[in-house]
Amino acid sequence: MTNYLISVIGPTAIGKTALSIKLAQYFNTEIISADSRQFFKEMQIGTAAPTNKELAAAKHHFIHNKSIQENYSVGTFEKEAIQKLDTLFKKHQIVIMVGGSGLYVDAVTKGLDNFPDVNGSIREHLNEKLKNEGLETLQNQLKNLDKASYNTIAIDNPHRIIRALEICIGTGKPYSSFLNKAKAKRHFKTITIGLTANREIIYNRINQRVDIMLKMGLLKEVETLIPYKNLNALNTVGYKELFKYFDGEWTLDFAVSEIKKNTRRFAKRQLTWFKKNEDTLWFDYQSPIENIIEELNILLK
């Protein structure tokens, strides 16, 4: 009997969590999160993690299961997620996965790409360059060496930028040239469904979500994390902007406007990444759940 992973994707604030819970309830199954920011228990409000009510509505995995002080890579997540799926498929023929982190979604559904080893001194040099010259210098360097990667990876994430650059420099080939090669076979079939809307609606939903986060106490959450602000997990939208506010570099209004702007940019990159998968079934974010389930049942026969 074939096991199926239903992967729910789409830009941030589009309604993926609500849909995944409805699907989990309909198929009487459990949910795996592939959102790289929701792993961390110290980051709840700013990552729009499922609420306690939502977590109680369906069994979730990989939500608040790590600390920001732990080193957690996409490679480790791939291994742990596959192990968890092996266990879940003993109880359920269908499992739901939800998340907006394209690399983490692909790690589970397709497996990670293999990259050649490069000299460790390259990374050291790039980290030094980041420290002395700033992220924009590295972004421009990547744009010159590998525009395809520059257009698709999370360029606000220094770790991702440095990883791509060290491969470009160490091999003399674009980072993107090593992507999408033959990978590990999966013992399940994946059905990917995406939620979308026109850009204006997506951007309005993002702006509204940021306002809601602030009402929920995002400022207080970020303030408690100031001692850890240099950790990689916290170098992310919603946190890094407010650290600048607490450091006295920005006004609160400007920091909030930057969160909204950077989240909109992130959503644009999410869609660029997800639209590479031509097999995705796209639905308008307001599509009735009955229509989505009807389409899924046809594919699950």
Side-chain angles (χ1 to χ4, degrees):
M1 191 161 59
T2 304
N3 291 322
Y4 287 93
L5 179 68
I6 298 175
S7 175
V8 180
I9 62 165
T12 190
I14 199 68
K16 297 185 296 296
T17 296
L19 174 59
S20 67
I21 290 170
K22 289 176 183 176
L23 292 176
Q25 290 174 334
Y26 176 82
F27 290 111
N28 190 27
T29 189
E30 301 177 31
I31 298 170
I32 281 183
S33 172
D35 189 309
S36 63
R37 306 189 327 149
Q38 293 179 0
F39 301 147
F40 302 111
K41 57 191 174 185
E42 299 89 346
M43 301 164 63
Q44 299 193 14
I45 298 172
T47 62
T51 63
N52 289 335
K53 184 178 179 182
E54 288 170 328
L55 290 171
K59 177 76 173 174
H60 285 71
H61 304 274
F62 301 99
I63 296 285
H64 304 153
N65 61 314
K66 299 290 177 183
S67 168
I68 55 173
Q69 298 184 66
E70 295 180 61
N71 287 321
Y72 194 57
S73 69
V74 65
T76 305
F77 170 70
E78 179 193 13
K79 293 189 185 91
E80 292 183 358
I82 294 301
Q83 288 171 356
K84 178 59 69 175
L85 283 172
D86 287 343
T87 301
L88 292 177
F89 282 134
K90 290 174 182 173
K91 298 187 292 179
H92 309 284
Q93 188 189 357
I94 298 166
V95 176
I96 312 299
M97 181 169 73
V98 59
S101 303
L103 183 62
Y104 286 72
V105 171
D106 286 357
V108 175
T109 60
K110 304 172 185 175
L112 288 172
D113 295 288
N114 292 312
F115 296 95
D117 293 329
V118 296
N119 193 311
S121 64
I122 298 172
R123 179 174 292 191
E124 291 175 17
H125 172 71
L126 289 167
N127 277 313
E128 196 65 25
K129 195 171 183 179
L130 172 66
K131 183 178 176 183
N132 295 327
E133 300 178 38
L135 182 58
E136 189 175 352
T137 299
L138 297 184
Q139 291 171 336
N140 289 332
Q141 188 176 357
L142 181 62
K143 190 174 185 178
N144 290 330
L145 293 176
D146 184 2
K147 193 157 187 188
S149 290
Y150 175 84
N151 286 332
T152 54
I153 69 170
I155 60 162
D156 292 329
N157 185 325
H159 179 75
R160 299 273 174 83
I161 290 282
I162 288 172
R163 178 59 177 152
L165 278 173
E166 70 178 349
I167 294 297
C168 293
I169 295 165
T171 66
K173 298 177 181 177
Y175 174 84
S176 56
S177 69
F178 294 96
L179 303 177
N180 303 318
K181 306 295 183 186
K183 304 184 189 74
K185 283 193 163 50
R186 296 302 189 217
H187 301 297
F188 55 84
K189 287 188 176 180
T190 300
I191 298 173
T192 303
I193 59 175
L195 289 181
T196 191
N198 69 48
R199 185 169 294 181
E200 185 179 354
I201 289 173
I202 293 172
Y203 288 179
N204 284 339
R205 288 176 68 88
I206 286 169
N207 293 340
Q208 289 167 11
R209 172 179 277 184
V210 173
D211 291 337
I212 290 168
M213 287 176 175
L214 288 163
K215 288 177 185 173
M216 290 174 66
L218 179 60
L219 264 180
K220 187 67 177 173
E221 179 174 88
V222 174
E223 189 174 20
T224 64
L225 295 172
I226 289 174
Y228 313 101
K229 66 180 182 180
N230 292 323
L231 294 177
N232 185 57
L234 287 167
N235 187 26
T236 189
V237 178
Y239 293 84
K240 61 182 182 180
E241 296 88 355
L242 290 176
F243 288 141
K244 285 186 179 289
Y245 160 67
F246 283 112
D247 287 343
E249 294 181 43
W250 291 352
T251 66
L252 180 57
D253 284 347
F254 183 72
V256 171
S257 71
E258 286 295 291
I259 293 173
K260 292 177 178 178
K261 181 184 78 175
N262 290 333
T263 306
R264 293 193 298 267
R265 285 178 174 174
F266 175 58
K268 185 178 178 182
R269 289 184 177 279
Q270 285 176 303
L271 285 168
T272 299
W273 182 291
F274 289 135
K275 285 184 176 176
K276 292 186 296 183
N277 182 2
E278 296 177 358
D279 295 327
T280 299
L281 290 173
W282 289 100
F283 293 92
D284 183 82
Y285 80 110
Q286 290 184 314
S287 295
I289 184 66
E290 295 81 10
N291 293 5
I292 296 173
I293 288 171
E294 184 180 1
E295 290 284 335
L296 284 171
N297 280 328
I298 291 171
L299 295 172
L300 291 166
K301 284 181 181 176

